[in-house]
Amino acid sequence: MTQTPLQNTTAVPPVAKKVPFAREHHGDVFVDNYEWLRDKESPEVVEHLKAENAYQEAVTAHQEPLREAIFQEIKGRTQETDLSVPGRKDGWWYYTRSVEGKEYGIQCRVQAQETGDPVADWTPPAVEPGIDLPGEEVLLDGNAEAEGKPFFSVGGTAVTIDGNLYAYAVDNSGEERFTVRFKDLRSGELLPDVIENAFYGLAFSPDGTRLFYTVVDDSWRPYQVKAHVLGTPVEQDEVLYQEDDVAMWLGFELSSDRRHLVLSIGCSEFSETRLLRFDDYDAGLTTVISRDEHLLYEAEPFLLAVASGTPQETILLTHNKDAINSMVSLVDPADLAKPLAAQHWRTVVAHSDDVRINGAGVTATHLLVSVRQDTIERVQVIPLAGLGTPEQAPAVEPAFDEELYTAGVSGSDYDAPVVRMGYTSYFTPSRVYDFVLPTADRPEGELLLRKESPVLGGYSGSDYVATREWATADDGTRVPLSVLRHASVQQDSTAAGLVYGYGSYEVSMDPGFGVARLSLLDRGIVMVIAHIRGGGELGRHWYEDGKKLSKKNTFTDFVAATDWLAGSGWVDAERIAAMGGSAGGLLMGAVANLAPEKYAAVVAQVPFVDALTTILDPELPLSALEWEEWGNPITDPEVYAYMKSYTPYENVRAAAYPKIAAVTSFNDTRVLYVEPAKWVQALRETTTGPEPVVMKIEMDGGHGGASGRYVQWRERAWDYAFVADSLGATELLPGAGLK
């Protein structure tokens, strides 16, 4: 690679005017000079944002050759004409094709065969990239749908059991409000029914006459589940349920056996499930366990075979009753009418301090349990025969041979003899397995590899190394780290380093393969993924120790991870960058304030950096839902004071900040663009150092950035080029890169 030009140091950043706005709570007054930037309808605001982009482009123009090189590396390693492994639903195999030069996937299907051999009938057909199968039908060509649109995203699809009708939801703005259309798959014609402003998730009733969907309120909180009867005016759609508590999230799904509609209502601390029986639709919804009990649970109704031979209506509960890491129980529906203390729950998977139960579901023959142990997510299966009795069979767990990996159920059909599983690790590309469920002839089951995603360009996993290390936090807590590097990097304290983190909402940063990440490792950057408190890697305690009035543990854990890397012998302590997005962007702002001297650069993607202002206004998108994560600063002075002490925008101080890039989208409904827009103004005004602070804003994107895979690759190349350039790690290691 030729030497890149030097950074433009003559560009002048845009300076927003100051319009003092006083925010007063609990006797505290905060004067916000840049709140006026919230008005996205204002031509002055739009012009300011365009000026930010122009400044960013000038400051980073010298990175363009590096960005192009990284983009070509991502593209060169990706098999652009490819397809997903077909997954069977009812009488059809469904799959997605991708085509070289096309931004979006093409949804297809082909009819399944019925030979009478269960495993053979559930063996996916051999579909080849670029070659149509006989009888192949195109359900939705995303490229045709996206033509002429600034943005394109699919928020859900559904097919009737008979395979005749297809519903799909499309967003063309990035605002996550979808338009639902219906297609008759026999004729290819669109039905006249059109539903506007739906949210994620669609499902047909078993008889195919109704479509269920969710609607969001003005703050983008899903609060209604509605039913549309095909052929009737949308204005007459039935509101099955409306959730008026602004701190509760609403969603739905069909039960595994499709006999019930299952409504899930909840926050991160307690929940409620309501059921609708399709064979008694007019009876309406019934509540499993009231939210008043303050349990966090999921419920799955199903028919369990018992000794009498007649399947018995049973409810599977994954819950935290006397079980902080959750457990799995069975309860008879009739018991639910009793007070909670009088109900009889039969234990299926007992509580463990070392194992977190993430969820459970059923097929016609087996219980499927998702668990997390030693930070790793895995799957266990238990036969339904004898479930919840002394005759219950032991769990069987598909075995894999790597230390750091992620395995999970990616799809299952109730009557199938196999369960579709996804598997990946840091340097094993995504694999799709079918796990043949255990039988008397096959007591351990059998893993059948259906596909490993191809990686081109001479990729070999043996060129890279992933290890588990541990940092020690200020309070003595050991924080797990995943350390990734190219095998040729020497432990001589000269390499560059990048620390990545998230640490909120009990979300775990699980091992997973990433083509784009290879471009950093190939330039000698040692990457640390910090599994900090606030995430879910080490169970529910790990999450609770990083939320509300313990939130600062998330930030200090990240700094401890940085200190580990600085002292590890792998990197030069002067060449470390940090990266995170959304709540991880709040993390970036917090650590930049805490320890700006430890980082050469910070990339904050869609950063939640004005958290207190946002959460103080319940009218803003999703604000009220955040109270269970951060606390409610409106009603609680202690929460207000605690949040005010760390929220990044309000704690910018006179210090020499590193190079900072705030990356955002104009139409993001989760973290509004105004947060990074205000933050970068405060940083530029206050920093005592010479390093630039830039904001890159995608004017047509949402929370996930722009749509289209090539556009997304270029966005990732932008982020990584900023990091690599800031660390002086622009050259490929000898022998690394595309081959």
Side-chain angles (χ1 to χ4, degrees), residues 284-305:
L285 294 163
T286 59
T287 300
V288 178
I289 301 166
S290 168
R291 69 189 71 184
D292 295 338
E293 302 292 352
H294 274 250
L295 290 182
L296 191 62
Y297 75 97
E298 296 175 354
E300 170 84 1
F302 71 109
L303 293 173
L304 178 64

Side-chain angles (χ1 to χ4, degrees), residues 124-125 176 196 231 281 414 417 453 456 477 484 496 510 523 649 725:
E176 298 181 281
E196 299 287 357
Y281 188 90
Y414 185 70
S453 295
L456 309 181
T477 299
L484 317 180
D510 289 325
R523 287 169 172 79
Y649 175 55
D725 176 72

Side-chain angles (χ1 to χ4, degrees), residues 49-322:
L49 298 177
K50 289 179 179 178
E52 286 283 11
N53 262 347
Y55 173 66
Q56 166 269 123
E57 288 167 1
V59 169
T60 66
H62 68 288
Q63 297 170 11
E64 177 54 35
L66 181 56
R67 290 198 287 261
E68 182 62 25
I70 293 174
F71 171 78
Q72 292 298 339
E73 289 162 17
I74 297 170
K75 190 169 182 288
R77 287 188 169 108
T78 303
Q79 183 165 304
E80 297 180 63
T81 297
D82 202 3
L83 68 158
S84 63
V85 178
R88 182 168 172 174
K89 197 69 179 173
D90 301 313
W92 297 83
W93 291 100
Y94 294 88
Y95 50 97
T96 302
R97 290 189 180 276
S98 59
V99 178
E100 184 173 359
K102 303 280 190 180
E103 293 275 11
Y104 302 100
I106 302 168
Q107 313 294 326
C108 305
R109 74 174 183 177
V110 67
Q111 200 143 24
Q113 303 298 312
E114 297 289 351
T115 68
D117 180 340
V119 175
D121 288 346
W122 287 87
T123 298
V127 188
E128 296 183 41
I131 300 175
D132 291 352
L133 271 180
E136 180 173 287
E137 299 179 11
V138 173
L139 307 179
L140 183 68
D141 183 342
N143 304 288
E145 287 283 331
E147 190 170 350
K149 307 292 197 306
F151 183 90
F152 173 77
S153 176
V154 177
T157 62
V159 185
T160 52
I161 291 178
D162 61 16
N164 291 337
L165 295 179
Y166 178 72
Y168 62 99
V170 169
D171 172 18
N172 289 130
S173 71
E175 293 186 341
E176 298 181 281
R177 291 182 189 259
F178 298 88
T179 298
V180 181
R181 293 184 172 87
F182 299 83
K183 184 177 182 180
D184 188 327
L185 297 177
R186 294 162 294 190
S187 66
E189 298 296 319
L190 289 178
L191 303 185
D193 308 55
V194 176
I195 301 170
E196 299 287 357
N197 296 319
F199 197 54
Y200 292 100
L202 305 173
F204 279 109
S205 59
D207 63 6
T209 62
R210 289 181 174 88
L211 183 86
F212 301 102
Y213 62 99
T214 53
V215 176
V216 295
D217 61 15
D218 290 340
S219 68
W220 259 266
R221 177 184 66 94
Y223 81 116
Q224 287 181 336
V225 172
K226 301 180 84 171
H228 173 70
V229 177
L230 290 170
T232 65
V234 173
E235 298 74 28
Q236 296 177 9
D237 286 0
E238 175 188 9
V239 178
L240 285 177
Y241 179 76
Q242 177 168 311
E243 177 53 54
D244 292 322
D245 187 334
V246 295
M248 300 291 272
W249 187 279
L250 174 65
F252 73 87
E253 60 184 357
L254 300 186
S255 61
S256 295
D257 60 12
R258 295 189 286 201
R259 296 182 308 114
H260 292 78
L261 187 71
V262 182
L263 272 62
S264 301
I265 308 148
C267 59
S268 65
E269 299 191 343
F270 58 91
S271 60
E272 181 175 277
T273 299
R274 301 194 181 198
L275 305 177
L276 176 68
R277 290 184 64 120
F278 288 121
D279 63 0
D280 194 9
Y281 188 90
D282 292 337
L285 294 163
T286 59
T287 300
V288 178
I289 301 166
S290 168
R291 69 189 71 184
D292 295 338
E293 302 292 352
H294 274 250
L295 290 182
L296 191 62
Y297 75 97
E298 296 175 354
E300 170 84 1
F302 71 109
L303 293 173
L304 178 64
V306 293
S308 66
T310 302
Q312 181 177 332
E313 189 77 49
T314 306
I315 294 180
L316 178 75
L317 294 175
T318 306
H319 64 90
N320 70 344
K321 183 174 180 288
D322 303 320

Side-chain angles (χ1 to χ4, degrees), residues 537-551:
E537 286 89 343
L538 290 175
R540 183 74 179 186
H541 281 300
W542 197 248
Y543 167 50
E544 294 189 344
D545 285 348
K547 66 182 292 194
K548 290 191 173 179
L549 296 177
S550 298
K551 187 62 201 170

Side-chain angles (χ1 to χ4, degrees), residues 23 35 38 610-617 620 650 678:
R23 187 196 71 202
E35 176 64 14
R38 187 177 301 278
D610 192 21
L612 184 53
T613 298
T614 295
I615 296 173
L616 282 167
D617 186 350
L620 289 178
E650 295 178 42
K678 292 160 64 170

